[in-house]
Amino acid sequence: MRPTRWKKSVVLGVGAAFVIASCGSSTKAGSTATTVAAGTATTAGAGAATTAAAASAATTAGTSAATAAGTTTGGTTAGSAGGATEGLVNGVYKGIGDFNIDPKKCPADWNDKQGITDKEIDLFVSLPKSGPLAGFGLLADGASSYFKYINDNGGIGGRNIVLDAKDDAYKPDQTKTNVDEALGAKKYAAFMTVLGTANNLAVWDTTNDECMPHLLNGTGAAQWGDVKGHPWTTGMQLDYFTEASLWAKWLAKEHPEAKTVAELTFNNDFGKSYSAGFKYSIKGTGLSVVHQELHEGTAPNLTNQFTTLAATKADVVLLETTGAFCTQAMSEIEKNTTWKPIVIMSGTCGSVAQFFKPLVDQGLTGANTYIIQNFKDVNDPANASDPFIQLYQKTLTAQGLDPKQTTYATGWIYAWFMTEILKDAAGYQGGLTRGNIMLAARSIQETNPLLIAGLTSKMDGMKDAYLTEGGRMAKYTVTDPKALGRFVPSGDLINLEGQLGTYDTVKAAAAGG
């Protein structure tokens, strides 16, 4: 990879950013890439859908659902970010919020049309399809499901979106190998939803050096708001620093009796982001962290950690972990008969089918676990009439996938944003190019149809680098211990849209602490 750095390649016209007082990421991976083309579902046991079946599902979902999905014939309608003034102007890509890209700063052989032909747009993702976090591999299948729906309805100006997925087993070194190979192939327009904080940190210098759009990271690390230092990298989900601050705000309002907190923390940047955000947010409150237990990604179980945590008798326990470790943690807490803390868990483990079903199989439930939600639960009966959820359910059923597997729905969320980025970029001056894709990624003004009503999804160039910044607490409620429960809202919705600004704000908050 070339040593060319993009650290000074963006016009730095950052507006004042601010944050409210309480606000403040294993087995050996396979060596061959799995092509998750938009017309193919790779989940074991899932039948491939016919084009006619998917089109029928889209039609029966209703016109309003198709509108929410952003589908238009040809798919070239520019989004609300504009399109008349953004794009390649006098040799420079100019976006909103003072975000500009000078292609002369890119490698000499950089190709703005790489991965984009008259028929296809090629995208790449590295994520775990093996190891303890293998369940997150379903994100790629969910994204491909949505891309197939888009392709069956005209694609992006007649172009099909094709997503290639490669397994990294959640190992950062394997992620780097996958990414280096993908860059060397010179066939991809952009990367999307690479999973894991440490995994993305292992590659983001390289992707920025190579001017590769590295978009919608599958992690809520606050670093993805580093628009100045890493302009080619963006996130999607609620950042962990802010999520932890929402925990603190909720505890202070809903449980003022709680005073002591214990943490189970994944010993990597993912877990530490939660811990830093929470500790910053409780300053000046009556809450205090009395103990923290770290665990590695290779830990066989969490028994020793919870023996120590239970001895603290803390009022609250924070599960700052993800994947199978969330299920293990809930199991350890539920089996303990003497310690019954308030349990708050990372929102990355909100999939009922993926993380709570294994508890039912053990004769446990996970009842009364709290998480922050900002997207609708596609399995909640209260959302049954939502046209986009109806579209999701009917489309997945037609494709031979289980719509109750909410990790697929998360894949749809990422793919919806990626599709809107491509549509917006196609409407910019110069048309669909990699430079315009990057401008569009930092200019999103569309609200995802699966966001909880009252929340927004926006980015504003150098001024607002975080796409989603709000949520509400929800409690996992069980009525039949032998069946899956559901999340029930608990507390007020909080929307901090635009308040975090950029990663500079987070760094300043940490330094101030």
Side-chain angles (χ1 to χ4, degrees):
M1 297 299 114
R2 296 166 179 78
T4 307
R5 290 283 172 183
W6 255 86
K7 305 299 184 282
K8 298 180 181 178
S9 63
V10 178
V11 177
L12 306 180
V14 184
F18 66 96
V19 62
I20 59 174
S22 66
C23 191
S25 117
S26 19
T27 59
K28 187 174 179 63
S31 59
T32 58
T34 300
T35 297
V36 190
T40 306
T42 60
T43 303
T50 64
T51 300
S56 175
T59 301
T60 54
T63 303
S64 58
T67 300
T71 59
T72 58
T73 302
T76 59
T77 302
S80 59
T85 58
E86 291 80 42
L88 186 61
V89 180
N90 297 325
V92 176
Y93 288 97
K94 296 183 179 295
I96 70 170
D98 297 324
F99 182 76
N100 300 331
I101 292 173
D102 184 351
K104 292 191 293 293
K105 301 290 186 177
C106 292
D109 62 349
W110 185 69
N111 179 2
D112 202 18
K113 297 293 286 188
Q114 177 180 296
I116 303 168
T117 69
D118 291 340
K119 295 182 177 180
E120 280 189 1
I121 304 167
D122 290 307
L123 307 175
F124 175 82
V125 59
S126 179
L127 77 179
K129 303 183 76 145
S130 62
L133 302 185
F136 285 119
L138 299 181
L139 286 170
D141 298 332
S144 290
S145 164
Y146 184 77
F147 289 150
K148 173 172 172 51
Y149 165 76
I150 292 297
N151 294 345
D152 289 345
N153 286 273
I156 306 297
R159 300 177 176 96
N160 284 344
I161 308 171
V162 178
L163 178 66
D164 285 355
K166 195 167 184 180
D167 180 24
D168 60 25
Y170 199 64
K171 295 179 178 179
D173 58 342
Q174 186 59 49
T175 305
K176 179 164 176 49
T177 296
N178 292 349
V179 164
D180 286 346
E181 290 177 354
L183 288 168
K186 295 188 179 298
K187 66 170 289 188
Y188 300 107
F191 296 167
M192 67 166 282
T193 318
V194 175
L195 193 93
T197 299
N199 308 69
N200 280 282
L201 290 174
V203 302
W204 73 333
D205 283 339
T206 301
T207 56
N208 278 262
D209 288 346
E210 293 295 310
C211 297
M212 170 61 78
H214 176 194
L215 311 177
L216 304 170
N217 286 352
T219 145
Q223 285 95 322
W224 317 142
D226 182 22
V227 63
K228 289 192 296 184
H230 295 82
W232 292 84
T233 300
T234 72
M236 186 284 284
Q237 65 198 63
L238 178 67
D239 74 277
Y240 306 134
F241 193 95
T242 298
E243 185 180 349
S245 78
L246 296 179
W247 295 348
K249 292 171 71 68
W250 178 81
L251 283 169
K253 183 174 181 180
E254 302 294 333
H255 288 279
E257 77 284 358
K259 302 299 181 185
T260 56
V261 180
E263 294 177 300
L264 172 77
T265 307
F266 205 138
N267 191 22
N268 60 8
D269 289 302
F270 161 81
K272 292 175 182 178
S273 292
Y274 278 116
S275 182
F278 186 78
K279 288 171 182 174
Y280 174 77
S281 301
I282 62 174
K283 290 173 183 177
T285 72
L287 289 165
S288 64
V289 175
V290 295
H291 189 75
Q292 180 184 45
E293 280 290 307
L294 302 176
H295 79 81
E296 304 298 330
T298 55
N301 57 63
L302 300 175
T303 301
N304 290 338
Q305 285 87 346
F306 274 94
T307 298
T308 303
L309 289 170
T312 68
K313 300 295 182 184
D315 300 323
V316 181
V317 62
L318 306 180
L319 305 184
E320 300 163 343
T321 187
T322 194
F325 297 113
C326 289
T327 303
Q328 292 181 25
M330 289 187 287
S331 174
E332 292 286 348
I333 293 168
E334 192 166 350
K335 288 185 293 186
N336 192 302
T337 59
T338 61
W339 184 46
K340 298 299 178 185
I342 298 168
V343 181
I344 301 178
M345 184 168 69
S346 164
T348 64
C349 290
S351 171
V352 172
Q354 185 174 341
F355 301 106
F356 290 83
K357 179 62 166 62
L359 291 173
V360 176
D361 295 341
Q362 299 174 43
L364 303 172
T365 66
N368 303 322
T369 299
Y370 290 92
I371 68 167
I372 292 290
Q373 288 186 322
N374 56 357
F375 287 96
K376 301 170 188 173
D377 182 351
V378 295
N379 294 323
D380 190 337
N383 295 325
S385 62
D386 185 291
F388 192 79
I389 290 177
Q390 290 178 344
L391 173 67
Y392 160 80
Q393 292 171 338
K394 292 180 179 180
T395 302
L396 261 72
T397 300
Q399 293 175 350
L401 299 175
D402 180 7
K404 294 186 182 300
Q405 173 52 265
T406 54
T407 306
Y408 291 142
T410 305
W412 265 51
I413 292 169
Y414 281 105
W416 185 94
F417 278 119
M418 191 69 228
T419 300
E420 295 304 301
I421 289 169
L422 295 173
K423 286 167 55 183
D424 286 356
Y428 289 173
Q429 294 188 51
L432 185 59
T433 63
R434 298 168 74 206
N436 279 342
I437 287 173
M438 198 60 240
L439 293 186
R442 291 217 174 271
S443 306
I444 296 174
Q445 300 291 301
E446 299 89 348
T447 296
N448 190 291
L450 283 179
L451 269 174
I452 293 172
L455 296 178
T456 50
S457 48
K458 297 181 180 180
M459 295 182 76
D460 187 7
M462 303 295 295
K463 301 174 183 178
D464 178 8
Y466 296 98
L467 186 53
T468 57
E469 297 176 73
R472 70 181 176 204
M473 191 68 84
K475 179 180 180 181
Y476 186 66
T477 304
V478 175
T479 54
D480 179 357
K482 295 182 180 180
L484 291 174
R486 57 188 288 262
F487 282 102
V488 177
S490 175
D492 298 330
L493 184 72
I494 304 172
N495 189 10
L496 305 179
E497 177 63 56
Q499 295 192 28
L500 188 55
T502 72
Y503 186 51
D504 284 349
T505 309
V506 177
K507 290 190 292 185

